[in-house]
Amino acid sequence: MKDDLAQIRDLQVTATTDAGRQIAIIKGVSFDIAKGEMVALIGESGSGKTTIALTLMGYTRTGCEITGGSVLLKGKEMASLTRAEAAKMRGAVAAYVPQSAASAFNPSQKIMDQVVEVSRIHGLMSDTQAQEKAVELFRALALPNPEIIGDRFPHQVSGGQLQRLSAAMALIADPALMIFDEPTTALDVTTQVEVLRAFKSVMQNSDIGGVYVSHDLAVVAQIADRIVVLKGGEVQEEGTAEQILTAPQHPYTKQLVAAFKPAEYATPIDEAITDTILDVQNTFAGYGLIGKDGMPAFVALKDISLTLKRGQNIGVIGESGCGKSTLARTIAGLLPRASGDIQFDGKPLQADLKDRSREHLRRLQIVFQFADTALNPNKPIGTILGRPLSFYHNMGGRQKEKRVEELLDMVHLPTSLKYRLPGELSGGQKQRINLARALAAEPDLILCDEITSALDTVVAAAILDLLKELQNELGLSYLFISHDLSTVQAICDDVVVMYNGEKVEQTKAADMMHATTHPYSKLLLSSVPKLDLGWLDSLEQDPELMRKFSDR
Amino acid sequence: MMLVSGFRLSYWGFSFNLVGIVASVVILFWAVVAIFAPLLTPYPIGLIVDYDYFGPMTSEFWLGTDYLGRDMLSRVLYGARYTVGIALAGVFLACFLGVTLGMAAASIGGLFDTVLSRFLDAFNSIPSLLFGLVVVAAVGSTIPVLIITLALIYAPGSYRFSRALAVNINTMDFVTVAKARGEGTLYVIREEIFPNIISPVLADFGLRFVWIVLLLSGLSFLGIGVQPPNADWGALVRENLGALPFGAPAVIVPSFAIASLTISVNMLIDNLPQRVRDQGE
């Protein structure tokens, strides 16, 4: 095509390991980007989506090398540029918006100085011109107080604003191609809506081509014209956004789309069971020095009450900083509560876990979000799983060995894994081990703190299935903390919405979408991207409400 | 075995750097000398073998003679025993104390951590050579006193170092999980924290060994270290300081010995074998 902005043909990227072995990470990828078109690269972690996007700037990460194929950007071969040539192209022709804007800005320089730096490096215009242009961009990106926001330091603006400012930084030199590398992944859903809107309007009113790297199909559906689905460094399927969403051809794409629509959760409610496993009443907790009124300097949980029946699940949702993880830590006794009462199976639970009996500790287990840090990297899996067995159940020798194998079997992992170290496992496997360790204690209640958030969609769906299966077999209860509403809906009976340390509302998960009455819950629920092309454009939110609840 | 770029050799899943290998050979050499010194020395160390003092290198006396006409080779070989032995015992004691207390402080936290840290900071502020002088003046210079003094001087630094590392590990989720399980401090320290700080602690161990060798040599140079007729390398330098105008090997050789050991340990720390992460398919 004539107006093609970029052409990638049979691209191959190879990484060299520290033992000198060559591994192909991109295996012959080809696609085009037309002028003014937004192409999304979607795939799970390790699928090579960021690596491909970076080759458009003639860049590969340390240890990687473009070994074949061509990357043409405006007729220039990016794969064979010298450093000096690449430096001329970067920022001016191809610009990059990183995932974490917070770490992309220099904390000790004013925002404006950093935004106009690109034009200064490339000698494109005078500083006053560049500053005028920056203000225009700030306005186009719907930033508040566009005239003066540049005078602030990065820590003085919110995360969503910073992400839009990094887009302004990329746009200042009028690049031909913008590369967005998961720019909204680290943001809360209500903030994400604003950022996506800003990106979309800026890109629509220009003929800049774009590459949007993401793992979130619903986000991509709002902003991309075409979608390239990647797995293991190969293109699985390429098509228009509409075709990928409505009529996926490749089995992997189908799986990806299916993982987005979690199966409705039907509780195995046994009406006969009415005993309460967990009863939290008027609990306050927080961090910092305890003041005269017995409250800590920063109160993270304010007057929280909730009850959970045996064999049922309760979901806690809210945005980052709302206190949902603090709630789990308070129940687990890791953070002693300041006041309030927590009963576990009808018996009071001590505030500090040091005062709890071993039996209580055994029956209430906590599973953390990041399996990477939750498993000791220097211990084999068998030892990790064996410890709770010997600690709580005094098992040893053969018996322990056998039980470890049973546990691995329970979480659908091969028993040969017990000799491996955590670093040698994939993310999903590690999370299963993490879960198996909690199961080893034979608990009644498991506190799940965002356990699927760090996983790819398909892997997360498998973990949720496993949780349900285990619940049916073992009669467990889960307190499920997440920022992802569809995850919560897939596994919970009741949902508690938290905002700013307070419980805003509690509803049945099944009719969460209709039954909520509190404005914040409504805002939160409506901000979750839907797998629907027109969702973002048709979304109407009360601006007053947005200002009140999201940190714009 | 496989040859990889940049002078690196791979063995048993570890890759070695050429500088690291050379340094290890030098360290190994001095270790062997220290262990087998009685078998290697051609003459007893206290025996005056030559009427001439500060003699040159000859086939009879390979490294010449010292200020009393004793065989320098024998004295240097025996000196290795004192220098390496005392420094090693000192560094073991210092790191054992420092690392154990450091991990305990990080894990227990609170008042225990604050009091211990401030106390050791205060201790750390005493100049080391001065502290050595005072102790030796008070209780006299014997080898056990030297070892304990050196250990006490270097334990606070080791404490600071390992506490800083342990504080980072202590906030990891797997430690939280262990604490939530109800594990005691001893288990958390031994099983969860220690395996994860061992490699930097080993590097620190080597560095501290070098400092102890230098401090011990300094103390001996001042005459309050190892007492005559025995002598470590520092004492040998002081004894034979008069050889400088004569250009005799007696003063050069022990200085060279100190330099070769300390530099080699330093080099080894900077070029420790690295685990090859990619173990193949």
Side-chain angles (χ1 to χ4, degrees):
Chain A
M1 274 191 289
K2 255 210 152 171
D3 55 345
D4 265 359
L5 177 66
Q7 281 186 328
I8 295 185
R9 284 289 169 275
D10 196 29
L11 177 68
Q12 300 190 3
V13 178
T14 312
T16 310
T17 70
D18 56 357
R21 205 159 55 92
Q22 305 265 318
I23 300 171
I25 45 178
I26 305 297
K27 304 159 190 160
V29 166
S30 309
F31 64 91
D32 297 327
I33 305 162
K35 262 187 191 149
E37 186 187 37
M38 183 72 111
V39 175
L41 301 179
I42 192 158
E44 59 193 35
S45 47
S47 62
K49 50 193 193 298
T50 301
T51 309
I52 294 171
L54 289 174
T55 59
L56 282 161
M57 298 198 297
Y59 179 78
T60 52
R61 276 178 277 208
T62 318
C64 298
E65 203 185 348
I66 300 174
T67 47
S70 77
V71 182
L72 284 178
L73 178 60
K74 284 184 98 180
K76 253 211 160 134
E77 177 57 54
M78 301 299 286
S80 57
L81 288 183
T82 63
R83 272 182 97 104
E85 285 170 327
K88 259 182 215 159
M89 301 283 283
R90 290 177 193 158
V93 181
Y96 181 71
V97 180
Q99 171 167 1
S100 167
S103 59
F105 275 91
N106 181 344
S108 56
Q109 265 185 25
K110 281 183 183 166
I111 288 166
M112 183 56 92
D113 293 335
Q114 300 185 56
V115 170
V116 302
E117 199 183 4
V118 180
S119 76
R120 203 178 296 158
I121 289 169
H122 293 282
L124 297 171
M125 53 189 119
S126 72
D127 272 10
T128 22
Q129 273 176 304
Q131 280 171 12
E132 276 166 28
K133 179 149 188 220
V135 171
E136 255 171 64
L137 284 170
F138 295 161
R139 196 169 287 130
L141 286 161
L143 283 158
N145 309 320
E147 285 82 15
I148 55 166
I149 196 168
D151 294 331
R152 299 202 199 157
F153 285 96
H155 66 269
Q156 292 171 317
V157 302
S158 72
Q161 288 168 0
L162 211 53
Q163 197 66 54
R164 278 178 276 169
L165 287 165
S166 75
M169 195 201 279
L171 284 162
I172 190 107
D174 283 321
L177 180 77
M178 289 277 283
I179 298 165
F180 296 93
D181 190 357
E182 304 243 14
T184 62
T185 307
L187 302 176
D188 287 320
V189 278
T190 49
T191 324
Q192 173 172 280
V193 169
E194 280 308 294
V195 174
L196 278 179
R197 274 208 176 124
F199 284 175
K200 194 168 182 179
S201 74
V202 169
M203 296 299 285
Q204 258 173 354
N205 301 329
S206 69
D207 62 348
I208 303 175
V211 174
Y212 197 98
V213 175
S214 179
H215 68 280
D216 191 337
L217 203 52
V219 167
V220 160
Q222 310 312 317
I223 199 159
D225 302 307
R226 271 190 313 128
I227 297 177
V228 178
V229 182
L230 293 159
K231 193 187 182 203
E234 286 171 282
V235 174
Q236 305 295 315
E237 188 171 355
E238 186 187 339
T240 61
E242 198 181 350
Q243 181 253 310
I244 295 281
L245 294 190
T246 53
Q249 300 297 316
H250 194 280
Y252 179 70
T253 319
K254 283 182 185 163
Q255 212 183 342
L256 209 61
V257 174
F260 232 89
K261 297 168 187 150
E264 281 296 310
Y265 178 63
T267 336
I269 294 185
D270 192 343
E271 292 297 333
I273 298 176
T274 48
D275 58 336
T276 307
I277 189 82
L278 181 74
D279 187 9
V280 180
Q281 291 302 331
N282 310 99
T283 295
F284 287 77
Y287 304 92
L289 288 174
I290 309 287
K292 276 183 194 137
D293 55 348
M295 282 295 145
F298 175 76
V299 184
L301 286 185
K302 295 164 198 155
D303 199 17
I304 300 286
S305 303
L306 56 87
T307 55
L308 176 58
K309 288 204 166 60
R310 185 185 291 277
Q312 291 202 357
N313 304 329
I314 195 163
V316 179
I317 55 170
E319 305 191 314
S320 51
C322 74
K324 54 193 193 301
S325 285
T326 305
L327 176 62
R329 297 177 72 87
T330 306
I331 295 171
L334 290 164
L335 177 75
R337 59 183 179 264
S339 72
D341 184 35
I342 300 179
Q343 301 235 329
F344 183 73
D345 202 13
K347 295 198 183 65
L349 208 51
Q350 309 294 330
D352 193 332
L353 71 87
K354 286 186 190 113
D355 306 326
R356 292 184 187 174
S357 67
R358 190 171 283 201
E359 186 63 8
H360 261 156
L361 293 171
R362 177 185 72 75
R363 292 175 62 190
L364 195 156
Q365 292 285 312
I366 184 164
V367 180
F368 288 108
Q369 174 176 9
F370 298 107
D372 291 334
T373 56
L375 303 176
N376 190 335
N378 281 303
K379 293 198 154 189
I381 301 303
T383 315
I384 290 175
L385 293 182
R387 180 62 193 175
L389 296 176
S390 47
F391 186 78
Y392 292 125
H393 303 294
N394 287 319
M395 282 190 197
R398 272 279 172 75
Q399 196 191 7
K400 184 161 97 176
E401 200 82 344
K402 195 164 154 270
R403 182 72 184 142
V404 167
E405 285 174 14
E406 279 172 17
L407 285 167
L408 283 168
D409 199 44
M410 228 187 253
V411 294
H412 305 304
L413 289 174
T415 51
S416 59
L417 281 189
K418 66 181 173 181
Y419 303 110
R420 301 254 202 107
L421 290 175
E424 295 162 5
L425 268 53
S426 73
Q429 286 176 326
K430 271 183 267 192
Q431 199 57 279
R432 281 164 195 263
I433 297 292
N434 204 1
L435 200 59
R437 175 172 54 188
L439 294 174
E442 292 169 29
D444 294 326
L445 172 64
I446 300 184
L447 309 174
C448 303
D449 189 359
E450 300 258 16
I451 62 169
T452 58
S453 306
L455 302 174
D456 294 312
T457 328
V458 176
V459 183
I463 293 276
L464 286 182
D465 286 340
L466 176 67
L467 284 172
K468 287 182 211 169
E469 187 189 314
L470 290 170
Q471 176 161 43
N472 284 338
E473 283 170 21
L474 308 171
L476 298 166
S477 302
Y478 301 120
L479 181 94
F480 203 91
I481 289 166
S482 182
H483 68 277
D484 183 4
L485 296 144
S486 59
T487 314
V488 169
Q489 235 176 345
I491 194 155
C492 295
D493 303 271
D494 278 352
V495 176
V496 169
V497 182
M498 281 184 71
Y499 177 74
N500 202 11
E502 285 170 67
K503 177 175 157 184
V504 168
E505 194 165 19
Q506 176 166 4
T507 59
K508 286 263 165 256
D511 50 12
M512 175 162 76
M513 288 298 171
H514 320 289
T516 48
T517 49
H518 192 278
Y520 175 71
S521 331
K522 281 186 169 167
L523 177 76
L524 185 67
L525 292 173
S526 68
S527 300
V528 180
K530 292 198 178 63
L531 211 51
D532 172 2
L533 291 178
W535 169 77
L536 185 64
D537 297 324
S538 63
L539 178 66
E540 277 174 28
Q541 285 177 330
D542 185 356
E544 272 298 303
L545 213 59
M546 288 294 290
R547 211 159 299 135
K548 193 171 161 201
F549 289 112
S550 68
D551 60 336
R552 295 189 49 182
Chain B
M1 193 191 113
M2 174 168 58
L3 194 65
V4 192
S5 61
F7 293 108
R8 293 196 80 91
L9 300 164
S10 284
Y11 259 123
W12 315 293
F14 282 91
S15 106
F16 299 81
N17 181 311
L18 189 66
V19 179
I21 293 170
V22 172
S24 318
V25 169
V26 174
I27 294 165
L28 207 67
F29 169 74
W30 284 122
V32 169
V33 166
I35 293 165
F36 298 106
L39 303 175
L40 298 171
T41 46
Y43 304 96
I45 51 160
L47 189 69
I48 296 172
V49 290
D50 197 2
Y51 291 113
D52 199 8
Y53 61 95
F54 295 143
M57 294 184 183
T58 60
S59 59
E60 207 179 343
F61 312 113
W62 287 6
L63 296 177
T65 55
D66 76 347
Y67 73 112
L68 290 176
R70 294 176 291 194
D71 178 41
M72 206 55 213
L73 176 64
S74 307
R75 290 185 69 78
V76 169
L77 293 184
Y78 238 94
R81 238 187 180 194
Y82 291 106
T83 301
V84 176
I86 293 173
L88 211 57
V91 75
F92 257 115
L93 203 57
C95 284
F96 178 76
L97 276 175
V99 172
T100 312
L101 289 176
M103 291 194 299
S107 178
I108 296 169
L111 196 65
F112 177 77
D113 182 19
T114 314
V115 171
L116 190 62
S117 294
R118 291 300 86 77
F119 172 74
L120 288 176
D121 281 350
F123 195 80
N124 212 5
S125 65
I126 304 171
S128 50
L129 212 53
L130 215 61
F131 180 76
L133 281 168
V134 170
V135 171
V136 172
V139 292
S141 178
T142 60
I143 289 178
V145 167
L146 273 179
I147 291 175
I148 291 171
T149 310
L150 291 168
L152 286 181
I153 289 172
Y154 282 105
S158 171
Y159 165 83
R160 272 268 151 231
F161 183 77
S162 54
R163 181 184 167 280
L165 290 169
V167 161
N168 282 340
I169 301 294
N170 194 46
T171 57
M172 301 283 265
D173 286 343
F174 60 82
V175 178
T176 315
V177 169
K179 284 182 179 169
R181 198 190 301 141
E183 302 280 8
T185 308
L186 200 64
Y187 175 88
V188 171
I189 289 176
R190 197 186 61 223
E191 298 290 329
E192 306 287 354
I193 299 180
F194 187 62
N196 290 295
I197 64 169
I198 182 75
S199 27
V201 160
L202 277 180
D204 177 67
F205 179 90
L207 214 57
R208 227 156 274 285
F209 174 75
V210 170
W211 292 336
I212 289 187
V213 167
L214 294 177
L215 181 62
L216 176 64
S217 302
L219 286 174
S220 293
F221 184 83
L222 293 175
I224 57 168
V226 180
Q227 297 303 308
N230 299 326
D232 71 332
W233 292 340
L236 287 176
V237 175
R238 187 187 76 108
E239 283 175 2
N240 299 306
L241 210 55
L244 271 179
F246 302 98
V251 68
I252 311 294
V253 172
S255 314
F256 178 74
I258 295 172
S260 69
L261 179 67
T262 51
I263 293 172
S264 294
V265 173
N266 251 320
M267 291 295 209
L268 179 65
I269 294 162
D270 287 344
N271 297 284
L272 280 177
Q274 287 175 339
R275 186 195 289 262
V276 178
R277 277 172 299 156
D278 171 35
Q279 297 287 349
E281 295 292 298

